[in-house]
Amino acid sequence: MKIKQLYIAAIALLGTGALTQQANAQLLEEKGKFTHADTLRGMLTPLRTCYDINYYHLDVKFDIDKKFISGSNQFKFTATEDFTKLQFDLFDNLKIEKVVYKGKEVPFTRDGNAAFVTFPQTISKGSRDEFTVYYSGNPTIAKNAPWDGGVVFKKDSLGKPFVATACEGVGASIWWPNKDHLADEVDSMMISISVPKGLKDVSNGRLRKVTQLRDGYTRFDWFVANPINNYDVVANIADYVHFGDTYMGEKGKLNLDYWVLPYNLEKAKKQFAANVKPMLKAFEHWFGPYPFYEDSYKLVETPHLGMEHQSATAYGNKYLNGYLGYDMSGTGWGTKWDYIIVHESGHEWFGNNITGKDLADMWVHESFTCYSESLFIEDNWGKAAGQEYNFGLRKGISNDSPIVGVYNVNKEGSGDMYPKGAVVLNMVRTIINDDEKWRDIMRGLNKTFYHQTVTYDDITGYISKQAGIDLSSVFDQYLHYKTLPVLEFTKTPDNRLLCRWIAEAKDFKMPIRVKVKGGEFKFITPGTGFTPVNLAGATKDNIEIDTLNYYVGVLMD
Ligand SMILES: [Zn+2]
């Protein structure tokens, strides 16, 4: 997620990206208007880099009637330098009861959604230490999850509580205290959620223990054995029933665990059986082993549409194919499978395994995952089908602000990171022109950056290096600028055909497939100065470019 509601509304209602364009125009306007609070939230300051988070134990009770939560989070960390003060994050509508260090309360201050703890002694570089934050309050209620964040308090059709958390973008500190920056992930985590008796909680990882508490609550302890980003940490509370299956994958036996509302059990069995194993087969083929075998693969029915909660994918697609029944590509290929199962699970590789260090690089999550849909189609119905779907995604592109967002202020880029990102990746594959190499690159990304957080340069640099082609100006143009490069053709007085690229990216150079009408495609590699089109017999009238796979403008002088 969260492929914009705006985006789907725009396509469904208007047939264009008009609403997305509005949103993107707003994004542009907002540039340069960031606040102190945005910096506290988005910047890796010394008060955050002084400690490396190793482990959280989040222990929270949900009083659903009062929409009230209370509990604690234990922070275990390694000091990366000597320090006495650090920052953690918790939305200011939630009360910090106390911060406890070595059995004693220590002083803290708050500045908006940031909190600062001062320790009684210097914590020395290299030492492993811990503190615990106790907190409570009425968390922000998400009115329109997953597009806004917070806690969803709904009822199922039988009137029983149906509760979920969702906080991508806004951040996990909307409901629990943590170091709320994408760059730092714990190595493992315990999530203990207490719920009124009769209900169940499903969180990430594996269920270790269920404890009946004296106050009428039941506590569910879930252990996550792998690094996890904060926004993936989830509480899902309902009258769930469970069913399971296994998948023999690249790393052996993978447990598949499904948690759904009891009255949807039969529908769920059918829909999950039809989609999950084909998805795992396609993605393990293209991206390598599912990254979290130790934590199992799960789908959890939620009162919102969906989210990539690691090893506990949120599912709210109403057991329909497509995106709530809708084909995002308009080609017919988009309704042959369940969009939420495929897309959100794609994030296990891109988003959860490989996580952008800064929200500005959310395209690392969404561009690759949106592209994974084309690869899923290719694995099931062939390459041409995948390309057709990918081409169809263009109708969702608005091209009015860059895909890369603003660094250090927790600001993601344009919603174009979904469809345009997917289209660009298909184009890069076309440039590389070697499907085995492309697959090696997809798998290599997941292996090289396994369970890591990454930057723009990490990802684009890796692809260029493995491809053996300098693609830096291609990524620069498509990710940092809103406009498309234009291939301009002209002719000399003696009728020789010339071409060049017009682009904003410095020294833009992109190989492109062209042919003389009726002939075979061949690559030419224009730069920004006019050079002859090295293709026998080519004229302005008979030259064709591979517009199925290239997303460019063309200008004939
Ligand atoms: Zn997504």
Side-chain angles (χ1 to χ4, degrees):
M1 268 287 134
K2 41 198 177 180
I3 194 150
K4 297 288 189 273
Q5 194 185 33
L6 280 173
Y7 171 63
I8 186 76
I11 295 173
L13 300 176
L14 305 169
T16 72
L19 287 176
T20 322
Q21 283 173 11
Q22 270 177 25
N24 288 336
Q26 280 167 12
L27 177 67
L28 271 186
E29 264 175 41
E30 283 168 18
K31 272 198 183 186
K33 289 188 185 169
F34 293 104
T35 62
H36 169 65
D38 295 326
T39 300
L40 280 178
R41 172 71 178 83
M43 188 174 275
L44 270 182
T45 58
L47 292 172
R48 284 171 143 177
T49 56
C50 65
Y51 69 113
D52 173 22
I53 277 290
N54 307 130
Y55 174 84
Y56 291 129
H57 178 195
L58 175 64
D59 185 354
V60 191
K61 183 166 117 178
F62 279 71
D63 182 337
I64 294 169
D65 288 341
K66 293 187 176 137
K67 299 183 170 57
F68 184 85
I69 60 174
S70 58
S72 62
N73 189 29
Q74 178 189 33
F75 294 58
K76 288 191 176 182
F77 63 86
T78 304
T80 60
E81 57 188 281
D82 291 358
F83 72 91
T84 55
K85 188 178 174 185
L86 60 71
Q87 176 183 335
F88 71 86
D89 306 274
L90 182 68
F91 271 46
D92 62 2
N93 59 311
L94 295 171
K95 184 181 175 196
I96 297 175
E97 308 276 358
K98 59 185 174 181
V99 180
V100 174
Y101 176 69
K102 295 192 189 299
K104 286 187 182 144
E105 286 189 38
V106 289
F108 64 88
T109 57
R110 302 190 76 171
D111 181 354
N113 298 333
F116 302 92
V117 185
T118 305
F119 296 93
Q121 72 223 38
T122 300
I123 295 179
S124 352
K125 180 176 177 174
S127 62
R128 289 171 78 92
D129 216 329
E130 61 176 89
F131 63 97
T132 302
V133 178
Y134 292 81
Y135 77 111
S136 64
N138 294 97
T140 305
I141 294 176
K143 294 186 181 65
N144 193 25
W147 297 281
D148 67 343
V151 183
V152 182
F153 290 98
K154 288 203 171 155
K155 303 260 192 218
D156 69 16
S157 303
L158 301 177
K160 293 188 176 170
F162 195 15
V163 175
T165 60
C167 54
E168 186 192 21
V170 67
S173 52
I174 200 167
W175 74 277
W176 59 283
N178 61 83
K179 181 192 202 175
D180 209 356
H181 197 285
L182 285 169
D184 198 2
E185 295 183 356
V186 285
D187 306 316
S188 63
M189 179 164 178
M190 179 74 89
I191 304 161
S192 301
I193 304 291
S194 301
V195 302
K197 201 171 179 177
L199 297 174
K200 296 184 184 77
D201 167 71
V202 183
S203 292
N204 321 78
R206 294 204 187 246
L207 183 59
R208 276 227 173 137
K209 202 162 119 195
V210 179
T211 311
Q212 299 301 332
L213 304 174
R214 286 197 189 136
D215 58 4
Y217 278 74
T218 310
R219 191 179 69 220
F220 294 82
D221 295 327
W222 293 86
F223 182 73
V224 183
N226 286 300
I228 181 168
N229 52 36
N230 297 329
Y231 79 80
D232 273 336
V233 172
V234 72
N236 296 296
I237 303 164
D239 177 29
Y240 285 120
V241 290
H242 168 265
F243 64 102
D245 197 352
T246 54
Y247 178 71
M248 287 311 295
E250 290 195 11
K251 268 175 79 173
K253 192 170 92 175
L254 173 62
N255 293 103
L256 312 178
D257 288 297
Y258 305 125
W259 298 84
V260 300
L261 297 177
Y263 50 83
N264 287 330
L265 183 60
E266 290 314 311
K267 274 195 274 187
K269 281 183 174 170
K270 214 173 138 206
Q271 187 75 350
F272 295 175
N275 284 273
V276 172
K277 288 182 181 176
M279 175 279 295
L280 287 167
K281 177 182 154 288
F283 289 167
E284 287 210 327
H285 172 80
W286 278 103
F287 304 146
Y290 172 74
F292 309 105
Y293 271 70
E294 304 76 9
D295 289 325
S296 78
Y297 171 85
K298 289 192 287 302
L299 288 173
V300 187
E301 186 170 351
T302 52
H304 60 83
L305 181 59
M307 182 54 67
E308 61 260 30
H309 298 138
Q310 185 173 308
S311 73
T313 300
Y315 179 82
N317 202 33
K318 306 194 184 305
Y319 306 101
L320 296 170
N321 280 353
Y323 180 110
L324 290 171
Y326 185 79
D327 181 354
M328 300 298 271
S329 73
T331 61
W333 293 113
T335 40
K336 295 185 181 298
W337 42 283
D338 187 312
Y339 184 91
I340 292 298
I341 292 176
V342 171
H343 178 95
E344 305 307 340
S345 301
H347 278 303
E348 295 285 23
W349 285 263
F350 292 98
N352 300 345
N353 185 37
I354 304 175
T355 304
K357 280 186 195 292
D358 191 299
L359 198 67
D361 286 323
M362 202 56 162
W363 65 274
V364 172
H365 304 205
E366 298 300 352
S367 298
F368 283 93
T369 299
C370 196
Y371 176 60
S372 77
E373 300 160 16
S374 303
L375 293 178
F376 170 79
I377 291 171
E378 177 169 338
D379 198 67
N380 284 277
W381 296 284
K383 185 174 176 183
Q387 284 171 312
E388 202 182 319
Y389 176 84
N390 191 275
F391 184 86
L393 292 176
R394 292 188 193 184
K395 73 190 178 100
I397 300 174
S398 55
N399 280 324
D400 56 355
S401 71
I403 284 176
V404 172
V406 186
Y407 290 94
N408 299 319
V409 287
N410 202 52
K411 188 71 185 171
E412 62 189 60
S414 163
D416 276 354
M417 73 176 87
Y418 296 81
K420 189 175 173 183
V423 164
V424 168
L425 287 168
N426 173 64
M427 193 176 68
V428 168
R429 173 189 183 174
T430 307
I431 294 168
I432 293 171
N433 194 31
D434 180 339
D435 287 349
E436 272 314 298
K437 187 181 269 185
W438 181 240
R439 181 174 161 230
D440 287 345
I441 289 171
M442 293 292 104
R443 293 176 69 98
L445 283 168
N446 277 284
K447 198 173 171 189
T448 307
F449 301 108
Y450 184 72
H451 292 177
Q452 289 177 34
T453 61
V454 300
T455 63
Y456 173 98
D457 288 340
D458 288 336
I459 298 300
T460 59
Y462 179 88
I463 296 174
S464 278
K465 185 159 179 262
Q466 299 303 315
I469 302 171
D470 180 4
L471 295 160
S472 58
S473 69
V474 176
F475 286 117
D476 185 20
Q477 180 65 38
Y478 283 94
L479 298 176
H480 290 135
Y481 299 93
K482 64 181 184 180
T483 46
L484 295 180
V486 173
L487 187 59
E488 182 185 16
F489 290 93
T490 191
K491 61 178 182 180
T492 58
D494 60 340
N495 266 335
R496 279 187 308 140
L497 189 63
L498 308 178
C499 72
R500 68 165 178 179
W501 285 112
I502 303 169
E504 283 134 306
K506 194 168 175 287
D507 300 326
F508 184 77
K509 201 173 173 111
M510 181 164 81
I512 185 162
R513 267 159 45 102
V514 295
K515 67 176 183 183
V516 170
K517 203 172 277 179
E520 294 275 298
F521 276 119
K522 290 206 166 77
F523 280 96
I524 56 170
T525 306
T528 50
F530 276 114
T531 47
V533 175
N534 192 15
L535 188 65
T539 67
K540 274 175 23 177
D541 300 321
N542 68 14
I543 194 155
E544 289 181 357
I545 69 171
D546 176 10
T547 48
L548 174 69
N549 293 302
Y550 281 86
Y551 186 48
V552 297
V554 178
L555 182 62
M556 290 285 179
D557 287 346

